[in-house]
Amino acid sequence: MISIANIKNADSPMFFLLAGPCAIEGRDMALRIAEHIVTITERLNIPYVFKGSYRKANRTKIDSFTGIGDEKALKILKEVSDTFGIPTVTDIHESHEAALAAEYVDVLQIPAFLCRQTELLAAAARTGKAVNVKKGQFLSGASMKFAVEKINEINPDCQVILTDRGNSFGYGDLIVDYRNLPEMSSFGVPVVMDCTHSLQQPNQSSGVTGGKPKLIETIAKAAIAVGADGLFIETHFNPSEAKSDGANMLPLDQLEGLLERLVRVREAIL
């Protein structure tokens, strides 16, 4: 069970889903993507949280896209929530962003590179919102208990979520160690598999992160099979035109079929 304000189908035996574009590129695209996913998840009885970063702070190059403006993007996230009656999640990068973002969204997400930043975790916990902490690519699942402890020390009632997004493998690749999921689940929190970022190929010489989106279904099926409570999937109408992380996003028209197959995997293990 997961406790997030406004989430639908909370009592469903299905996995929950955090999905949407990497970054908020505009109002129309956000509403269209949200509407598409809401229609699918309501039919499949999947609890759904719309994902969109209001600002991208971790970019390879100085001229990489970072956002359309903080307040503008956050207001779009709030409009998505109000329009469809669903919760939303966005990343925060510095402590002062927690209170700002919490005015507009239901879940604050801590990026993997920042999962050890004590003050950032504390600031997120103080807002009273749910906090999704992505496991650092440099950490084991077992070590994420300290992130949970930091948040619980500030706010024992905070809904903490832990998300795996792979481990560094050499200089420009990631690999998923599925032992991390049961290890993190042992802390008594919902555990999510990030099926798109775990397929990134970072630090490319071109200055643009690569990816292997054809393996999204493989990562997702394995995660459900080993007991993941939720899945994180970035998706876009046309990933090749996305302004951020297009190389590892799922084309939106492939999402419905994927979720249908994943529902069958979930049903098989219940």
Side-chain angles (χ1 to χ4, degrees):
M1 298 293 290
I2 187 165
S3 178
I4 297 176
N6 302 321
I7 197 163
K8 298 178 180 179
N9 304 311
D11 58 350
S12 170
M14 281 298 116
F15 54 88
F16 62 92
L17 178 69
L18 291 78
C22 178
I24 299 298
E25 300 174 7
R27 175 181 179 273
D28 180 64
M29 66 86 72
L31 290 169
R32 287 174 60 214
I33 291 174
E35 181 178 26
H36 187 90
I37 303 176
V38 165
T39 300
I40 297 169
T41 53
E42 287 188 349
R43 180 176 67 82
L44 296 177
N45 202 30
I46 295 173
Y48 173 52
V49 182
F50 176 83
K51 184 272 169 183
S53 296
Y54 77 95
R55 174 154 51 92
K56 301 301 293 184
N58 177 24
R59 301 289 84 193
T60 302
K61 298 192 296 183
I62 189 66
D63 59 349
S64 295
F65 174 80
T66 58
I68 60 174
D70 292 357
E71 187 174 6
K72 182 177 181 181
L74 286 167
K75 285 182 176 179
I76 290 171
L77 284 164
K78 185 66 167 63
E79 184 175 358
V80 168
S81 181
D82 292 343
T83 301
F84 300 106
I86 57 174
T88 56
V89 55
T90 199
D91 306 275
I92 59 172
H93 314 90
E94 298 184 58
S95 302
H96 69 268
E97 296 178 34
L100 170 65
E103 295 181 18
Y104 298 91
V105 303
D106 305 282
V107 185
L108 300 177
Q109 183 165 281
I110 309 299
F113 285 128
L114 303 176
C115 68
R116 285 172 49 90
Q117 298 299 103
T118 301
E119 185 52 41
L120 181 60
L121 294 171
R126 290 189 189 101
T127 67
K129 298 297 176 113
V131 180
N132 179 31
V133 187
K134 287 198 171 183
K135 183 188 72 63
Q137 301 93 320
F138 43 87
L139 294 176
S140 68
S143 64
M144 289 301 289
K145 70 177 180 179
F146 302 111
V148 177
E149 289 174 355
K150 289 176 182 179
I151 294 171
N152 286 340
E153 180 67 24
I154 300 297
N155 180 1
D157 298 322
C158 182
Q159 171 67 80
V160 183
I161 305 164
L162 295 180
T163 295
D164 190 10
R165 47 100 77 235
N167 282 85
S168 296
F169 186 70
Y171 289 111
D173 207 353
L174 297 169
I175 191 167
V176 176
D177 180 353
Y178 286 96
R179 295 175 298 178
N180 287 325
L181 297 179
E183 285 178 343
M184 294 193 298
S185 183
S186 70
F187 309 139
V189 300
V191 172
V192 173
M193 184 73 235
D194 183 338
C195 304
T196 45
H197 288 99
S198 61
L199 291 167
Q200 278 185 336
Q201 293 178 305
N203 304 321
Q204 300 298 300
S205 59
S206 65
V208 178
T209 296
K212 298 180 179 179
K214 290 183 179 180
L215 292 174
I216 290 172
E217 182 161 345
T218 300
I219 297 294
K221 284 180 175 177
I224 294 300
V226 300
D229 301 296
L231 298 176
F232 179 105
I233 299 174
E234 288 190 341
T235 184
H236 194 282
F237 284 108
N238 190 345
S240 66
E241 296 181 0
K243 296 183 178 180
S244 177
D245 276 2
N248 51 267
M249 274 201 276
L250 181 75
L252 190 60
D253 61 5
Q254 296 179 19
L255 182 63
E256 184 169 16
L258 172 61
L259 291 177
E260 289 174 343
R261 293 187 290 276
L262 294 174
V263 163
R264 294 197 292 272
V265 175
R266 176 72 170 183
E267 290 172 341
I269 67 171
L270 289 178

